[in-house]
Amino acid sequence: MMKAIILAAGSGTRLGHYTKEIPKALVDINGKSIIERQIELFKKNGITEIFVVRGYKKEKFCLEGITFIDNEDFANTNQLASLVLAQNRISGNALILYGDLLFEQSILDQILMSNSDISVTIDLKWKEHCYENRNNQFPAMAEIENDKVVHISENKSLIRKKLCGEFFGIIKLSSEGSKILTDIIEKAKHNKGKFHDSDSFVMGKIPDIIEEIIELGFVVKPIFVNGKWFEVDTILDLEKAKTMFQ
């Protein structure tokens, strides 16, 4: 059985008035929220054990059959702090993903086909995406060598001449992969200083823990996906998402 852990504690300030009263994951895309679309797709594919880490406006989440995990300190932490709160739920075959992602069935099909212990979604067509008006935020880029992710970073200056693709926020784990990740989280969460691209572990993002996995010598495999997906960060993103996903 596969389970899904959705990180949805953030406030989504770049979406302006759209997130004044609701969390980003609940923003409407043509009649359904982002997270409702994720959950509907998961359940359609037999993924019914779903955990949502919530924080900002947590009381607005009214989703049936979902186990909620609360990040009460969401305003002062980031994705890895939410991941720590879900740490004891990471076991067996699992997906870990952002709560602001939209993706179609074909993307999920490609993810579920991966047999690796630890694999991450990579889009090699990243240059076709437009990253203007994103407050100078560069996407998390993964360097690929010998069919392995050898480096991942949001730091634009670190992108080299190797094969590169955009990591767009989904990790797939086998039972062994889940054990590897939880062991690494247990050790890394005590880190007090800078943690890869982030100022600290609690302010860390998912690419930081992936980089930690790589640096510790574990294999992270790329899942090269083709299809329709989108991460909603800004008002312009939201407008585009509404044209892509009906």
Side-chain angles (χ1 to χ4, degrees), residues 10 65 80 98 109 113 140 166 169 181 188 192 232:
L80 293 189
Y98 301 155
D109 289 340
M113 284 176 62
E166 179 181 356
L181 178 59
K192 298 299 182 185
V232 180

Side-chain angles (χ1 to χ4, degrees), residues 75-99:
N76 301 306
T77 60
N78 211 327
Q79 295 163 4
L80 293 189
S82 289
L83 194 61
V84 167
L85 293 171
Q87 183 180 346
N88 64 350
R89 305 293 192 174
I90 303 172
S91 63
N93 297 312
L95 299 175
I96 299 172
L97 66 152
Y98 301 155

Side-chain angles (χ1 to χ4, degrees), residues 35 51 57 76 104 121 138 158-159 207 209 234:
I35 201 165
F51 303 90
K57 302 285 185 184
N76 301 306
E104 60 184 356
T121 50
F138 195 71
L158 295 181
I159 302 306
I209 200 70
T234 67

Side-chain angles (χ1 to χ4, degrees), residues 144-161:
I144 315 298
E145 198 172 73
N146 299 322
D147 197 35
K148 294 189 294 186
V149 178
V150 296
H151 184 50
I152 186 167
S153 176
E154 290 185 353
N155 189 330
K156 188 175 182 178
S157 66
L158 295 181
I159 302 306
R160 301 177 178 87
K161 294 182 179 180

